[in-house]
Amino acid sequence: MPELPEVEAARKAIEEHCTGKKVRRSVVANDSKVIEGVSPSELESALVGKTIIAALRKGKNLWLRLDSPPFPSFQFGMSGAVYIKGVAVTKYKRSAVSDEDEWPSKFSKVFMELEDGLELSFTDKRRFARVRLLQDPEAVPPISELGPDALLEPLQIEELVNALRKRNTAIKALLLNQARIHPLQIASRLSREDCESLHRCIEEVIKKAVEVGADSSQYPSNWIFHSREKKSGEAFVDGKRIEFIAAGGRTTAFVPELQKLIGVKSVKGKSNQSRKANPDEEEDDEGSKGEEIEKEKEIKRQPKKGKNKKVGSHRQQKVDASGDNSEEANEKEKPKKKNGKKPLAADKTQPKVVKANRNELKSLDIRAKAQAKESSKKRSGSNEASTQQKKKIRK
């Protein structure tokens, strides 16, 4: 999905080619999912005849300051992109519209023709973007709820250290660049040295990406970015193996040799050895792949649908890939009557069990067998001692 560098590249292109020009004509798509809180005709009327004074950005949100409010605001989401006819603007490759496609693209959500004939289009293939018309974009959500902008308002090292100390979650869930830190490392357990390294890398990565206009072909060759779509066993950086796991609800690439897990505590991740090298495969902002990892750490507490149905205590509660129990799965799992008798009701105080993985089950089975063997030996020894004691009494 487009990140800060891609949105900054779009802002720079608009600032360079469109500011100071009046909007002659506008066409807004009839798409209420993307065009939020305003009708197409209202947005068109708010744009036509206005002069673009500036293009501003915070995070992944961009808005145009016109010569008078209201102002159009663009939240890029997963596949939002800005196109200026005849101008090369860096685009996120998975949302890119081909130069051979019709103009404006069928995915165009807001089209503007400027007084000098220059044409600008905001497109969104997957409809996760949001376009709003606001009196003051910075004063209302989502922009007003954002933290400091990583490029314009970088955190000081002390602010970063204090923020991480308060977060008892995996660093991957907080930041996508790990700076030689294991993605499952608990943020609050990072050393001062790790925090300083992370702070330095955040600034270096963002500045470099913005410097090259978010053109990924110009990113340093030793960035894991270039191998993130390869299969496990085929990805290497500087001769070091890259592994893939699910962390924070996302497929995560890391180098075990460089990113070591420190301390005992960490957030469990799941190996993603079978991932496909599919360039179109991407996690969504809403409902990311890999969320089952987080679900497996919790006991299912929500009551089942139905009329006071009781479940056998021996049955494991299965969790599907999305973390929800399907009605079909529940139906199959119902205990059957045996010899015409009703199944025993479950002990309500007994917690439901989340399905464990194969390694955990194997480990539990080995431990159970060992305990049973030890218990059997103790009983055998006790029986033998009791027999000898009885013989002595008889004599």
Side-chain angles (χ1 to χ4, degrees):
M1 69 189 73
E3 301 292 353
L4 185 154
E6 283 84 4
V7 181
E8 176 63 13
R11 187 201 68 78
K12 285 184 173 181
I14 294 174
E15 184 178 68
E16 180 179 352
H17 298 280
C18 304
T19 53
K21 299 177 182 179
K22 185 176 291 186
V23 179
R24 177 194 297 166
R25 182 170 68 93
S26 177
V27 178
V28 178
N30 184 20
D31 186 346
S32 59
K33 181 180 178 183
V34 176
I35 311 300
E36 187 175 275
V38 60
S39 69
S41 59
E42 289 174 328
L43 181 51
E44 290 169 358
S45 298
L47 294 174
V48 175
K50 298 290 184 66
T51 300
I52 299 174
I53 304 300
L56 305 169
R57 180 197 60 78
K58 185 167 186 179
K60 290 170 59 175
N61 292 269
L62 180 150
W63 66 99
L64 302 182
R65 179 174 293 162
L66 308 177
D67 50 5
S68 64
F71 309 132
S73 170
F74 306 88
Q75 186 175 0
F76 280 54
M78 290 188 65
S79 54
V82 167
Y83 293 84
I84 301 175
K85 193 172 185 180
V87 176
V89 181
T90 298
K91 305 171 287 292
Y92 184 66
K93 64 180 180 180
R94 293 178 188 168
S95 60
V97 174
S98 172
D99 292 335
E100 299 175 358
D101 290 350
E102 60 181 327
W103 177 266
S105 163
K106 63 181 179 180
F107 301 110
S108 178
K109 302 303 175 183
V110 177
F111 168 82
M112 287 179 275
E113 180 187 347
L114 306 184
E115 59 185 348
D116 63 350
L118 192 66
E119 296 177 348
L120 167 73
S121 174
F122 178 79
T123 69
D124 180 20
K125 270 188 174 182
R126 302 183 65 183
R127 302 175 68 220
F128 283 107
R130 296 292 180 267
V131 178
R132 304 176 179 93
L133 188 62
L134 305 170
Q135 291 292 323
D136 185 358
E138 292 179 275
V140 295
I143 298 174
S144 65
E145 296 176 344
L146 295 177
D149 185 87
L151 178 65
L152 305 176
E153 313 160 281
L155 285 175
Q156 298 301 309
I157 181 61
E158 290 300 332
E159 294 176 302
L160 179 61
V161 171
N162 292 334
L164 294 179
R165 283 176 179 168
K166 298 174 184 177
R167 302 302 295 272
N168 197 34
T169 188
I171 190 66
K172 172 67 179 185
L174 298 177
L175 301 164
L176 297 183
N177 168 61
Q178 295 99 45
R180 294 201 175 187
I181 297 171
H182 195 287
L184 300 179
Q185 183 66 51
I186 296 297
S188 60
R189 296 175 66 86
L190 291 175
S191 66
R192 170 82 185 197
E193 183 180 359
D194 286 334
C195 291
E196 290 176 349
S197 175
L198 181 61
H199 184 266
R200 182 180 65 256
C201 288
I202 290 173
E203 290 190 340
E204 289 177 358
V205 168
I206 291 177
K207 287 180 179 178
K208 181 62 179 179
V210 171
E211 177 187 323
V212 299
D215 182 354
S216 59
S217 66
Q218 296 186 52
Y219 291 167
S221 60
N222 62 349
W223 280 16
I224 299 180
F225 176 92
H226 299 292
S227 301
R228 65 197 182 116
E229 290 169 355
K230 294 182 179 179
K231 293 181 180 179
S232 295
E234 299 178 359
F236 296 86
V237 59
D238 291 341
K240 297 177 177 62
R241 178 173 50 85
I242 298 173
E243 286 190 0
F244 300 90
I245 60 173
R250 293 173 178 269
T251 297
T252 303
F254 76 108
V255 182
E257 189 175 334
L258 300 177
Q259 296 169 261
K260 300 183 184 299
L261 195 58
I262 303 170
V264 179
K265 291 184 178 180
S266 68
V267 174
K268 290 184 179 180
K270 183 177 180 181
S271 175
N272 200 3
Q273 299 297 326
S274 61
R275 71 191 297 269
K276 297 179 180 178
N278 181 359
D280 293 325
E281 184 178 287
E282 180 176 3
E283 295 84 359
D284 291 351
D285 282 333
E286 305 162 28
S288 302
K289 295 178 183 176
E291 286 186 354
E292 66 273 12
I293 307 307
E294 302 298 327
K295 298 289 184 182
E296 287 178 1
K297 296 186 292 182
E298 300 178 358
I299 294 175
K300 194 77 176 176
R301 294 198 176 106
Q302 294 182 354
K304 292 175 63 179
K305 296 179 180 179
K307 298 181 179 179
N308 301 324
K309 293 181 181 178
K310 295 183 179 179
V311 181
S313 60
H314 65 283
R315 181 171 64 84
Q316 284 189 328
Q317 190 75 14
K318 294 185 178 180
V319 180
D320 66 13
S322 66
D324 296 328
N325 292 341
S326 67
E327 292 296 327
E328 183 179 350
N330 288 338
E331 198 64 34
K332 290 179 181 178
E333 290 293 336
K334 289 180 181 177
K336 299 178 180 178
K337 292 184 180 181
K338 190 173 183 181
N339 298 328
K341 296 180 180 180
K342 293 182 179 179
L344 293 175
D347 181 358
K348 293 183 179 179
T349 62
Q350 182 175 352
K352 295 177 182 179
V353 182
V354 177
K355 188 175 182 181
N357 60 42
R358 292 181 180 177
N359 291 333
E360 291 173 338
L361 289 174
K362 187 175 180 181
S363 177
L364 289 172
D365 187 46
I366 292 172
R367 262 184 277 170
K369 287 180 179 180
Q371 289 175 358
K373 188 174 181 181
E374 185 68 25
S375 178
S376 178
K377 284 182 179 180
K378 289 181 179 179
R379 286 198 300 270
S380 177
S382 177
N383 291 337
E384 186 178 347
S386 177
T387 302
Q388 291 177 358
Q389 183 67 21
K390 286 179 181 180
K391 287 180 179 180
K392 287 181 181 180
I393 292 173
R394 288 171 184 171
K395 290 179 180 180

